[in-house]
Amino acid sequence: MCGIVGGVAERNLVPILLEGLKRLEYRGYDSSGMAVLNDSGLPESSQQSEILRIRGLGKIAALEEKIDAFDQGEFKGQIGIAHTRWATHGAPAENNAHPHICNQSIAVVHNGIIENYQSLKARQIDLGYRFTSQTDTEVVAHCIHRHREHTGCLLKAVMQAVEQFEGAYALGVVSIHDPETLVAARKGSPLVIGVGIGEHFIASDVSALLPVTQRFIFLEDGDVAEIRRDAITVYDKQGKVVERPVKQSSLTASSVELGEHRHYMHKEIFEQPQAVTDTLEGRITQDAVLVNAFGNEAERWFESVEQVQIIACGTSYHAGLVARYWFEDIIGLPCQVEVASEYRYRNPVVRNNTLIVTLSQSGETADTLAALQQIKQLKQEKNLPTLTICNVPESSLTRESDMTFLTHAGPEIGVASTKAFTTQLVALALLITAVGKTQGRMSSEQEQKIVQGLQKLPGLVKNTLENEDLIAKIANGFADKTSALFLGRGTMYPIALEGALKLKEISYIHAEAYPAGELKHGPLALVDEHIPVIAIAPNDELLEKLKSNLQEVKARGGQMIVFEDEKSCVDAHGDFEVVKATTNVGRITAPITFNIPLQLLSYHVALIKGTDVDQPRNLAKSVTVE
């Protein structure tokens, strides 16, 4: 949610900042902006530096056009900050776009929400500060300006200012009075420092800086960093100098490029066989799951677990719902799943010896992180081991948890999650097996069967992707549709929920999912020839019941699209469109595999509808604020 990039160098930073914004555009695309200290601010100049700023409404391309047209290409600077916005406070508008400037001397970019901004704003108005936007970020600029006047130092000004802020923030700050210094700060919103030679950078995530460096410092909550061309100094929340390790990223610039694909979502759908392979690598042998893949102390933690609590949001929540069936059906361990934004506010009763599992693609999801922090307060009284399943190393959730399992999905740029969801399911399958074998709830034969199924999974996913042409043809029938129903039973109900979410996210079609057995309890009233009904039909013990539910739809004249196992043999005639999506899948591999055609369906329907597939309206990739 919103993207920051900045830097200080011995070369013109504008092209680097612009490229960084393009790579962060998935985080927000309502508006964007850039501010640089012009060349007159360099030490060898005797002139006073000034802040040059350009802001644009809409996507980065609009900002790029303005930069190209600026005063015959004179928009240049060797220190600067830039931002792409997903609106929270204040509608998408140029005056609300970042960077925000105070008295032509301080420029700020900000991710997060300053919760006490109204009281700060009232105080600042009394002090004579003028506001030109509806954002909460302007109070940050004014607050830093006021402290800079008193301290004469940008670093001290930021340190004093952040003590007044309640909420979450990642900040990049420059000043005309400190023309060689970029100051960064973070609390609750991610921020990394890219380490170069004679130049250093900041960004919301590493993908923005891959063209210029693969060496990164991951700031921790409460950190403030002073960044100069020749030095990086990090201070912790107590104001003490600390050493944060420099880590080498395995990602490359090409890993976040489209290649031959039209959209990132399409690219990421087709990366799933490799993502599954990478997530399994080093976590299984030929016939067993390695328990220590969840951490060196995992076996000790798992031995005492009496129940599981999964906390997540959105797509990750759906992955948790699938896992609930697995935990209770396969190893007989009670499991609860809850949306993080509800869990953290309802004063839940947490029983002793509960394994707390948080799921997040980014590891920075605000509600999930807050729920985990709330649970950690109970750990003094109860045994509550915590595990985060996440796609981003060094994220806040990974640092807050006792155990971490990284899904090696690679960068996911499309807002609609695909490979992150699939690899979360793989991770959860490994988790139930690890817990089951540790507690003696699973035989070695069961474990071997699950492992063998997971080893087949990349091939199953690849085979399912071969249905794309047929699915694209089916998608043509959605051109005039405004609503859809998804049906599933057992583990396929959460997959139906996920399919409906994908269709909503990127095609803007109203879609709902129900357990197929619930049709007669209300949803059947919606069924007519105008509403397509999408069903998932694996060859399992609930197949015959599902077939009866499909007949109920047929009897009401509904348009039926069924994704089935080749052995399910759903009767295909009349308004039934049947896709033999896969075969030879088990209770673990079935939901993972059947998810793939639903992703393809939503993608091709979005193409038919002409929507922005990778950057759907009103949505951003990482929800790092409430």
Side-chain angles (χ1 to χ4, degrees), residues 410-432:
E412 189 177 69
I413 306 301
V415 166
S417 180
T418 51
K419 60 179 180 175
F421 175 68
T422 299
T423 53
Q424 283 178 352
L425 290 175
V426 172
L428 289 164
L430 295 174
L431 176 62
I432 66 114

Side-chain angles (χ1 to χ4, degrees), residues 182-497:
L182 167 65
V183 176
R186 74 149 291 185
K187 177 187 174 185
S189 290
L191 197 65
V192 302
I193 298 174
V195 180
I197 300 174
E199 58 184 18
H200 303 300
F201 309 91
I202 62 169
S204 300
D205 66 53
V206 299
S207 65
L209 301 177
L210 290 174
V212 291
T213 186
Q214 287 183 282
R215 302 173 66 226
F216 297 96
I217 295 171
F218 295 85
L219 294 178
E220 298 188 6
D221 256 15
D223 282 354
V224 177
E226 182 181 52
I227 304 165
R228 305 166 72 89
R229 282 191 291 270
D230 58 353
I232 298 170
T233 309
V234 180
Y235 301 83
D236 65 13
K237 65 180 70 176
Q238 282 79 40
K240 297 179 180 179
V241 174
V242 291
E243 291 291 330
R244 301 291 184 221
V246 178
K247 301 201 173 182
Q248 184 83 14
S249 173
S250 60
L251 298 177
T252 63
S254 61
S255 64
V256 290
E257 293 175 355
L258 274 173
E260 63 183 13
H261 297 273
R262 184 175 171 185
H263 297 96
Y264 280 108
M265 182 180 180
H266 191 261
K267 175 177 183 274
E268 288 153 10
I269 288 173
F270 277 81
E271 287 176 339
Q272 289 177 112
Q274 187 61 49
V276 171
T277 298
D278 292 343
T279 300
L280 291 172
E281 184 177 354
R283 275 79 181 260
I284 58 174
T285 64
Q286 283 298 107
D287 53 10
V289 171
L290 302 177
V291 177
N292 64 4
F294 293 91
N296 293 331
E297 299 294 316
E299 187 169 358
R300 178 175 66 84
W301 288 118
F302 291 165
E303 283 176 348
S304 62
V305 168
E306 297 176 5
Q307 60 185 2
V308 178
Q309 174 69 65
I310 299 175
I311 304 170
C313 299
T315 285
S316 297
Y317 170 70
H318 296 157
L321 291 176
V322 174
R324 179 176 65 184
Y325 284 91
W326 290 340
F327 270 111
E328 298 188 348
D329 180 35
I330 297 175
I331 64 172
L333 195 65
C335 180
Q336 299 295 321
V337 187
E338 193 150 357
V339 174
S341 57
E342 290 297 312
Y343 184 87
R344 61 180 291 202
Y345 288 117
R346 71 169 183 81
N347 296 320
V349 176
V350 185
R351 296 184 181 275
N352 194 32
N353 298 324
T354 297
L355 173 62
I356 306 296
V357 181
T358 53
L359 302 176
S360 171
Q361 188 281 138
S362 67
E364 303 291 349
T365 308
D367 287 315
T368 308
L369 180 59
L372 176 59
Q373 291 168 338
Q374 177 179 318
I375 286 165
K376 288 184 69 176
Q377 297 176 6
L378 304 175
K379 285 173 67 68
Q380 296 177 350
E381 305 170 7
K382 299 178 180 179
N383 177 40
L384 302 173
T386 57
L387 165 68
T388 282
I389 295 175
C390 176
N391 192 38
V392 180
E394 301 300 324
S395 62
S396 296
L397 278 172
T398 63
R399 289 196 297 270
E400 294 280 347
S401 298
D402 297 319
M403 297 172 282
T404 295
F405 186 98
L406 291 177
T407 58
H408 297 311
E412 189 177 69
I413 306 301
V415 166
S417 180
T418 51
K419 60 179 180 175
F421 175 68
T422 299
T423 53
Q424 283 178 352
L425 290 175
V426 172
L428 289 164
L430 295 174
L431 176 62
I432 66 114
T433 310
V435 173
K437 69 182 290 186
T438 299
Q439 296 195 356
R441 295 171 178 265
M442 176 180 290
S443 67
S444 57
E445 290 78 16
Q446 284 178 298
E447 179 183 11
Q448 184 175 9
K449 188 175 180 179
I450 290 173
V451 169
Q452 289 173 347
L454 290 172
Q455 289 169 335
K456 294 176 182 176
L457 189 55
L460 290 170
V461 173
K462 187 176 181 180
N463 291 339
T464 303
L465 290 169
E466 294 176 1
N467 290 295
E468 182 177 24
D469 290 344
L470 176 56
I471 293 170
K473 182 179 177 182
I474 292 171
N476 289 321
F478 285 73
D480 61 344
K481 298 298 188 290
T482 57
S483 292
L485 290 176
F486 286 72
L487 303 177
R489 300 197 74 136
T491 55
M492 298 305 154
Y493 169 51
I495 298 302
L497 286 168

Side-chain angles (χ1 to χ4, degrees), residues 84-109:
T84 182
R85 182 172 185 253
W86 186 81
T88 52
H89 292 76
E94 190 168 314
N95 67 304
N96 288 329
H98 300 213
H100 288 283
I101 295 176
C102 180
N103 290 349
Q104 293 303 310
S105 66
I106 298 285
V108 172
V109 289

Side-chain angles (χ1 to χ4, degrees), residues 5 15-25 207-209:
V5 62
I16 296 172
L17 298 183
L18 194 58
E19 176 63 23
L21 286 182
K22 291 177 181 177
R23 291 169 177 267
L24 291 176
E25 192 168 19
S207 65
L209 301 177

